[in-house]
Amino acid sequence: MANIAKIFASRAQCVLQAAARQPQVATRFSSSSTNNNWEYIKTEVAGEGKNVGVITLNRPKALNALCNGLMKELSTALQQFSKDKTISAIVLTGSEKAFAAGADIKEMVGNTYSQCIQGNFLNDWTEVARTQKPIIAAVNGYALGGGCELAMMCDIIYAGDKAKFGQPEIALGTIPGAGGTQRLTRVVGKSKAMEMCLTGNMIGAQEAEKLGLASKVVPADQLLGEAVKLGEKIGTHSNLIVQLCKEAVNTAYETTLQEGLKFERRTFHATFSTADRKEGMTAFAEKRPAKFTNE
Ligand SMILES: CCC/C=C/C(=O)SCCNC(=O)CCNC(=O)[C@H](O)C(C)(C)COP(=O)([O-])OP(=O)([O-])OC[C@H]1O[C@@H](n2cnc3c(N)ncnc32)[C@H](O)[C@@H]1OP(=O)([O-])[O-]
């Protein structure tokens, strides 16, 4: 017993030493402009290593309502950051008043059933969930309807302390159409999801954190900085392995436990074919920071 306790104690010490050797994560938010020819969004690169892409929804007059033009620009920006090898993680944010107040009600008021089917309405909404790099939603203010669904398509949600999440489509005579009845239910459970979707009632940031919808609540004015810091921390690791890890966690939502465990085990095995796995473990043994090459 004493030996086992010793082994665990020494292992824990090694893990702590490894954590101490991790490169320090910058706390300062710094950004420089990238493409500014957007109508509905802004894009920047942020962080000391300029390795975090920031996309800001920028349609203040309509509380960032997600019109077709905005969703097209968002898809394009995501594809650009995805292709950019210098970017390790992406932060998606809005304004202090609204992350996004939903799909654009005025734009879709005249839609008919046949137009929705034949025009494949919402097809432009899938890019966020398809992006291979980690996406952090930094949510201040309203995240309603499609806005809440957009946040849930991201991998991690950080919430400002005044954030409000809700699925109010029911009050408009429709239902969530971009994951509100599915992703929300998987995250918060049937009873709470049912309550939110059937009443349209909003929940605040603290409750969202308690339910596991948001992983952290921070003062509104610190939200973007905290989200960028998180992106930078993720960026200290191998982008290649981060991508595999993201796929493995997402698989938990999409399959049975047995299938998920099998996928995880094989993906874990696959990391042994990478240079970064070798480097990570070698660096640990040699008591030095790892230099990942994403190979
Ligand atoms: C995608 C899958 C399915 C998803 C469906 C949905 O998301 S359905 C949607 C689910 N979401 C909802 O049902 C929420 C709808 N929004 C609200 O209930 C309120 O705006 C509020 C409570 C968020 C803020 O109240 P507040 O008194 O602080 O602000 P305010 O009300 O004065 O708004 C300022 C301006 O923004 C405008 N605008 C806002 N949202 C939208 C929108 N979605 N659309 C278009 N426009 C929108 C608003 O018209 C106004 O413009 P105006 O008239 O001055 O030219």
Side-chain angles (χ1 to χ4, degrees):
M1 255 336 237
N3 276 347
I4 291 176
K6 243 192 226 162
I7 290 167
F8 273 108
S10 108
R11 186 70 214 144
Q13 205 181 7
C14 288
V15 170
L16 287 174
Q17 283 165 354
R21 286 197 301 273
Q22 288 284 337
Q24 283 299 300
V25 173
T27 50
R28 192 169 56 82
F29 174 77
S30 65
S31 70
S32 72
S33 278
T34 53
N35 174 0
N36 274 317
N37 298 323
W38 308 106
E39 186 177 354
Y40 301 111
I41 64 171
K42 283 188 205 158
T43 54
E44 296 164 297
V45 290
E48 298 230 319
K50 302 266 187 264
N51 63 340
V52 180
V54 178
I55 302 174
T56 305
L57 306 180
N58 183 32
R59 198 187 171 208
K61 281 190 193 144
L63 302 184
N64 293 332
L66 304 165
C67 60
N68 290 328
L70 186 153
M71 291 310 290
K72 282 202 169 77
E73 287 190 0
L74 176 57
S75 291
T76 306
L78 284 168
Q79 284 161 6
Q80 288 178 358
F81 279 139
S82 291
K83 279 189 213 139
D84 185 338
K85 289 206 166 93
T86 66
I87 296 296
S88 302
I90 300 163
V91 171
L92 177 60
T93 195
S95 68
E96 197 149 321
K97 174 148 188 191
F99 176 73
D104 190 317
I105 301 167
K106 295 167 192 168
E107 193 176 71
M108 66 183 162
V109 68
N111 282 7
T112 64
Y113 177 62
S114 65
Q115 280 170 346
C116 286
I117 299 274
Q118 292 176 78
N120 205 359
F121 183 39
L122 299 185
N123 191 39
D124 288 330
W125 285 57
T126 45
E127 194 58 39
V128 180
R130 273 209 308 255
T131 302
Q132 291 178 313
K133 291 184 181 174
I135 309 184
I136 301 148
V139 177
N140 265 328
Y142 296 109
L144 302 179
C148 186
E149 293 171 310
L150 182 63
M152 288 190 292
M153 286 177 211
C154 298
D155 301 304
I156 298 170
I157 300 178
Y158 270 16
D161 51 2
K162 307 268 173 6
K164 286 192 185 311
F165 299 84
Q167 296 292 161
E169 290 91 340
I170 198 83
L172 299 168
T174 185
I175 72 165
T181 64
Q182 303 301 302
R183 290 196 176 93
L184 185 65
T185 307
R186 279 168 161 78
V187 174
V188 304
K190 176 176 166 182
S191 180
K192 193 70 197 178
M194 201 63 100
E195 185 188 344
M196 288 174 70
C197 291
L198 297 188
T199 62
N201 289 348
M202 299 180 216
I203 59 167
Q206 309 294 342
E207 191 173 359
E209 186 190 26
K210 200 177 78 194
L211 291 165
L213 181 61
S215 60
K216 191 171 183 178
V217 178
V218 293
D221 59 352
Q222 291 166 30
L223 178 68
L224 185 54
E226 286 294 315
V228 169
K229 262 201 273 175
L230 177 64
E232 286 187 288
K233 171 73 194 188
I234 293 169
T236 63
H237 305 305
S238 157
N239 293 349
L240 171 67
I241 306 297
V242 163
Q243 185 181 323
L244 294 178
C245 193
K246 168 171 166 163
E247 277 175 30
V249 174
N250 276 337
T251 301
Y253 282 94
E254 285 152 16
T255 190
T256 63
L257 179 60
Q258 277 316 311
E259 286 301 314
L261 288 169
K262 214 183 326 172
F263 180 84
E264 180 195 72
R265 183 63 50 85
R266 283 289 173 250
T267 307
F268 167 71
H269 290 161
T271 65
F272 283 78
S273 67
T274 68
D276 280 350
R277 192 283 313 165
K278 185 137 208 218
E279 165 63 9
M281 292 188 181
T282 307
F284 176 85
E286 293 175 357
K287 301 189 189 301
R288 61 169 174 82
K291 279 199 199 120
F292 294 120
T293 54
N294 306 321
E295 303 270 328

